[in-house]
């Protein structure tokens, strides 16, 4: 199902439950794989049916400037869900089955969260949601923390409450359980939050300053934060840790997880000094060859085999389209000939070698003097689409090879403050199926990866073309350094950093284009892609579109 169809399906569920089609839902619910959540979208519609939308909307908007806005919204919606369910279950018995289906799906999804998603989620909200789902399936919430049990009980709102009473109940819950006191702000080097004893334990869960990430400790940052450039806390000094120094131990860990080094340490260090400057001065770089054997390769190969007909057809279509583009896009080439325009420097041939080819004649030849690098976002947020992304990269790489266009494939992700570029397929040698070693994990520091890939482009011939496979959502745990301040690498600042990197590449003669595939709303991702790539990007919603859209994208770059 395409993204547009999923969005339309979710809205239809909301409108059907609301009994009205003359409004645009402000909230829609989806599972991790992008499938609309029938139960929660039904709840959204029933909330619109039973409560005053203007009053609730004003209350929701009053939370926009709150430090914990997202947490507050989730907490309020948990109370609304309980109230609506209690109000409607007598006349809509199907809600019982929908609720159980939602609970099973939610708990199953949480059991398979990636490390990045575990770091990005709100632990308090997750705990409360999981408790509600367990209570739905087993009758027991399973909460042990007294404060969490108290908050959970406070969100069991009655179905008889009117809109004004719902708002009053929500305000009371937020005021009682989320009270902050800021003391002596102007007289301290950093802001301090004075909390009650129970809140002191919770704040490290709901808004942690550090998290365990495999066997290192790095600052926690959610992908969804900072739509305007990062949360307030991220800009305050002393709250975000620096990346660990580059050591032999860190190098060994990177090699164990991502494969043997691609370049010598001296060259890696020189590139890092050149690239990791300014806002990225606390970051590190690594270049590896990728692991030869991995469970990811087996899973990707299985996905490709199950969709073999689609991708093999796509390879043939894209290869044919590329060959046709090269055939009709021709460049002049000068040849020595016996007629044409006299070339004075060749006259000696007629005098001393009895060779009449002393003229220049023009001939058009196909334009194929360029090489392509596929740069794949391999962050953990792509885990659910890992097989599809690997198959798409394989399709493009195989088609380019059939058209005799040099192609290399590089994947990138960030762990422990280090952005790692893994070369899956080199320009020379290596089959296209080597791309199936692609593995999603870590974070994605797009701006740094775009700058770091520049030295790898030199292995191709002629003009370099860089095609970036992305979800248009850069995020990393290591913040951007801005003088003495730190800004979280997410939201508008991360997007601007990626856009600046693309502009730098283009000013250096590299053509850059993007292929966007994301479970996020089209309007959101397209606006980000446009900021980063301008008009040089295309969106892929299903594999059947890949050949035609990538062919058109490459053709524009060749002709441009």
């Amino acid at each position: 199902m395409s993204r547009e169809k999923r969005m339309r399906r979710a809205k239809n569920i909301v409108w059907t439950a609301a009994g009205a089609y003359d409004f645009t839902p402000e909230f829609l619910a989806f599972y991790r794989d992008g499938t609309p959540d029938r139960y929660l979208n039904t709840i959204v519609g029933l909330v619109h049916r039973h409560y005053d939308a203007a009053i609730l909307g004003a209350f929701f908007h009053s939370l926009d400037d709150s430090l914990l806005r997202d947490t507050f919204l989730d907490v309020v919606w948990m109370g609304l869900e309980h109230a609506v369910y209690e109000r409607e279950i007598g006349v809509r018995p199907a809600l019982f089955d929908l609720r159980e289906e939602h609970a099973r799906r939610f708990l199953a999804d949480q059991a398979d969260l990636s490390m990045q998603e575990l770091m990005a989620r709100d632990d308090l909200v997750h705990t409360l949601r999981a408790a509600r789902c367990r209570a739905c399936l087993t009758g027991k919430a399973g909460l042990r923390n007294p404060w969490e049990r108290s908050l959970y009980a406070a969100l069991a709102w009655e179905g008889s409450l009117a809109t004004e009473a719902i708002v009053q109940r929500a305000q009371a819950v937020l005021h009682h359980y989320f009270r902050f006191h800021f003391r002596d702000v102007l007289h301290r080097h950093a802001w301090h939050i004075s909390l009650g004893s129970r809140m002191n334990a919770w704040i490290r869960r709901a808004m942690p300053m550090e998290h365990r990430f495999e066997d290192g400790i790095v600052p926690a940052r959610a992908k969804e934060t900072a739509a305007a450039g990062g949360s307030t806390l991220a800009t305050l000094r002393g709250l975000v840790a620096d990346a660990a120094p580059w050591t032999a131990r860190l190098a060994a860990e990177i090699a164990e997880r991502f494969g043997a080094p691609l370049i010598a340490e001296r060259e890696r260090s020189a590139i890092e000094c050149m690239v990791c400057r300014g806002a990225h001065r606390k970051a590190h770089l690594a270049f590896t060859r990728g692991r030869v054997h991995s469970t990811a390769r087996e899973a990707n190969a299985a996905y490709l085999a199950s969709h073999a007909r689609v991708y093999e057809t796509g390879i043939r279509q894209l290869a044919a389209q590329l060959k046709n583009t090269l055939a009709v896009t021709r460049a002049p080439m000068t040849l020595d000939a016996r007629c044409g325009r006299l070339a004075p420097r060749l006259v000696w041939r007629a005098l001393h070698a009895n060779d009449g080819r002393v003229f220049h004649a023009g001939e058009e030849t196909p334009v194929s003097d360029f090489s392509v690098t596929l740069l794949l976002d391999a962050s953990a947020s792509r885990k659910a689409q890992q097989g599809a992304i690997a198959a798409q990269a394989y399709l493009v790489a195989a088609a380019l090879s059939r058209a005799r266009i040099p192609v290399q494939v590089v994947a990138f992700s960030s762990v422990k403050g280090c952005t790692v570029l893994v070369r899956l397929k080199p320009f020379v040698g290596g089959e296209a199926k080597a791309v199936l070693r692609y593995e999603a994990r870590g974070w994605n520091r797009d701006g740094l990866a775009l700058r770091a890939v520049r030295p790898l482009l030199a292995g191709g011939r002629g003009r370099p073309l860089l095609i970036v496979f992305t979800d248009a959502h850069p995020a990393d745990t290591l913040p951007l350094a801005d003088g003495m301040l730190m800004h979280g690498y997410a939201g508008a600042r991360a997007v601007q950093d990626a856009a600046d990197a693309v502009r730098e590449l283009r000013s250096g003669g590299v053509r850059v284009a993007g292929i966007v595939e994301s479970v996020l709303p089209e309007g959101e991702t397209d606006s980000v892609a446009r900021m980063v790539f301008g008009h040089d990007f295309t969106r892929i919603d299903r594999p059947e579109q890949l050949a035609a859209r990538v062919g058109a994208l490459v053709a524009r770059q060749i002709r441009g």
Side-chain angles (χ1 to χ4, degrees):
M1 184 185 296
S2 68
R3 182 173 293 98
E4 293 82 358
K5 290 182 179 178
R6 292 196 296 264
M7 292 290 291
R8 194 181 310 119
R9 172 62 176 153
K11 291 178 181 178
N12 282 333
I13 296 172
V14 173
W15 288 329
T16 300
Y21 293 81
D22 58 349
F23 71 100
T24 300
E26 291 193 29
F27 302 95
L28 294 173
F30 300 86
Y31 292 113
R32 287 180 66 214
D33 62 0
T35 305
D37 186 324
R38 293 193 298 169
Y39 175 69
L40 289 186
N41 285 313
T42 298
I43 292 296
V44 172
L46 293 175
V47 166
H48 188 277
R49 174 189 288 267
H50 292 296
Y51 303 114
D52 190 305
I55 295 176
L56 277 183
F59 172 66
F60 286 138
H61 289 308
S62 71
L63 302 177
D64 284 349
D65 294 330
S66 300
L67 186 65
L68 297 179
R69 171 186 177 276
D70 292 340
T71 298
F72 291 168
L73 287 176
D74 287 331
V75 166
V76 172
W77 270 104
M78 282 198 65
L80 284 169
E81 182 266 332
H82 190 280
V84 168
Y85 181 82
E86 185 177 288
R87 184 170 189 154
E88 284 283 321
I89 187 60
V91 295
R92 294 176 185 264
L95 276 180
F96 180 83
D97 293 333
L98 288 177
R99 198 185 203 196
E100 283 200 341
E101 176 192 6
H102 163 77
R104 284 192 292 268
R105 185 74 177 267
F106 177 85
L107 294 176
D109 281 352
Q110 302 313 299
D112 192 34
L113 283 179
S114 66
M115 182 59 66
Q116 183 183 20
E117 290 163 321
L118 285 170
M119 293 178 66
R121 78 182 184 193
D122 185 323
D123 279 358
L124 173 67
V125 172
H126 168 266
T127 299
L128 295 175
R129 286 177 175 170
R132 172 92 32 106
C133 291
R134 285 194 298 268
C136 172
L137 296 175
T138 67
K140 296 181 180 180
L143 292 174
R144 297 182 179 181
N145 184 297
W147 185 86
E148 291 173 346
R149 286 204 302 267
S150 176
L151 174 57
Y152 179 81
L155 295 176
W157 298 352
E158 301 85 358
S160 59
L161 295 176
T163 306
E164 293 79 1
I166 286 285
V167 171
Q168 291 174 2
R169 182 70 64 88
Q171 290 172 334
V173 168
L174 297 181
H175 182 268
H176 180 74
Y177 291 93
F178 302 86
R179 183 182 299 177
F180 296 87
H181 301 283
F182 292 89
R183 298 179 178 176
D184 302 326
V185 170
L186 298 178
H187 305 289
R188 296 180 183 268
H189 295 295
W191 288 18
H192 294 261
I193 302 176
S194 177
L195 305 170
S197 58
R198 288 180 296 178
M199 279 294 290
N200 211 356
W202 172 82
I203 194 65
R204 294 184 179 275
R205 292 170 56 81
M207 196 168 57
M209 292 300 104
E210 57 183 28
H211 257 286
R212 287 271 171 195
F213 186 67
E214 298 180 319
D215 35 7
I217 296 179
V218 296
R221 296 294 307 165
K223 263 199 161 190
E224 294 78 8
T225 58
S231 73
T232 304
L233 280 179
T235 67
L236 304 181
R237 289 180 292 175
L239 293 182
V240 184
D242 294 342
W246 182 264
T247 61
R249 178 179 178 182
L250 179 57
E253 290 181 7
I254 296 296
E256 180 181 355
R257 298 173 192 175
F258 295 92
L262 180 64
I263 58 179
E265 171 59 23
R266 177 179 297 180
E267 186 179 356
R268 185 210 67 81
S269 180
I271 295 174
E272 182 175 294
C273 291
M274 178 179 64
V275 175
C276 296
R277 297 182 298 175
H280 297 288
R281 64 179 180 270
K282 297 180 181 296
H284 295 299
L285 284 177
F287 301 84
T288 77
R289 301 179 186 276
R291 292 190 296 172
V292 178
H293 302 289
S294 68
T295 56
R297 177 167 187 156
E298 296 174 0
N300 296 339
Y303 177 91
L304 180 62
S306 65
H307 299 79
R309 179 176 298 180
V310 173
Y311 286 100
E312 287 302 324
T313 300
I315 290 172
R316 291 193 297 271
Q317 291 175 345
L318 180 55
Q321 187 173 355
L322 291 171
K323 291 177 181 178
N324 290 337
T325 300
L326 294 175
V328 300
T329 307
R330 311 179 74 84
M333 182 177 70
T334 302
L335 301 174
D336 297 342
R338 298 183 184 278
C339 62
R341 189 180 59 203
L342 180 64
R345 67 180 183 84
L346 300 179
V347 171
W348 66 272
R349 288 181 175 178
L351 299 176
H352 302 286
N354 195 27
D355 187 346
R357 294 176 299 165
V358 295
F359 299 90
H360 279 166
E363 179 177 327
E364 290 188 340
T365 60
V367 176
S368 58
D369 188 23
F370 69 97
S371 56
V372 178
T373 296
L374 307 182
L375 182 63
L376 315 181
D377 172 1
S379 60
S381 61
R382 311 279 271 169
K383 189 71 175 179
Q385 293 84 38
Q386 176 180 286
I389 295 169
Q392 291 169 9
Y394 163 70
L395 185 158
V396 177
L400 287 166
S401 297
R402 288 191 187 183
R404 298 186 178 181
I405 299 173
V407 56
Q408 72 170 340
V409 184
V410 179
F412 74 92
S413 59
S414 298
V415 296
K416 294 188 175 183
C418 179
T419 293
V420 184
L421 279 75
V422 180
R423 192 170 70 181
L424 303 174
K425 179 193 177 302
F427 282 119
V428 179
E431 59 177 8
K433 284 194 174 180
V435 174
L436 297 180
R437 293 181 295 151
Y438 169 82
E439 186 172 0
R441 53 192 165 178
W443 297 77
N444 53 311
R445 199 176 186 87
D446 291 27
L448 183 57
L450 286 163
R451 293 176 174 93
V453 77
R454 180 66 184 271
L456 300 182
L457 306 182
R461 75 183 185 204
R463 301 169 299 162
L465 168 59
L466 179 65
I467 300 178
V468 185
F469 285 67
T470 178
D471 62 359
H473 203 69
D476 191 18
T477 55
L478 186 69
L480 287 162
D482 181 11
M484 296 295 292
L485 300 179
M486 296 292 177
H487 301 290
Y489 196 87
R493 283 192 172 89
V495 172
Q496 186 59 53
D497 179 58
D500 291 342
V502 169
R503 186 164 52 251
E504 292 170 16
L505 285 168
R506 286 173 174 166
S507 66
V510 179
R511 299 188 179 190
V512 185
I515 295 177
V516 178
E517 182 181 39
S518 174
V519 298
L520 297 175
E522 179 177 346
E524 179 182 342
T525 54
D526 280 7
S527 63
V528 171
R530 197 166 289 108
M531 289 179 62
V532 176
F533 301 107
H535 296 291
D536 294 321
F537 77 93
T538 188
R539 167 179 290 280
I540 303 298
D541 294 315
R542 56 184 188 276
E544 293 82 2
Q545 299 172 331
L546 189 63
R549 295 193 177 182
V550 172
L553 187 68
V554 174
R556 287 203 305 270
Q557 299 303 313
I558 294 174
R559 294 165 182 161

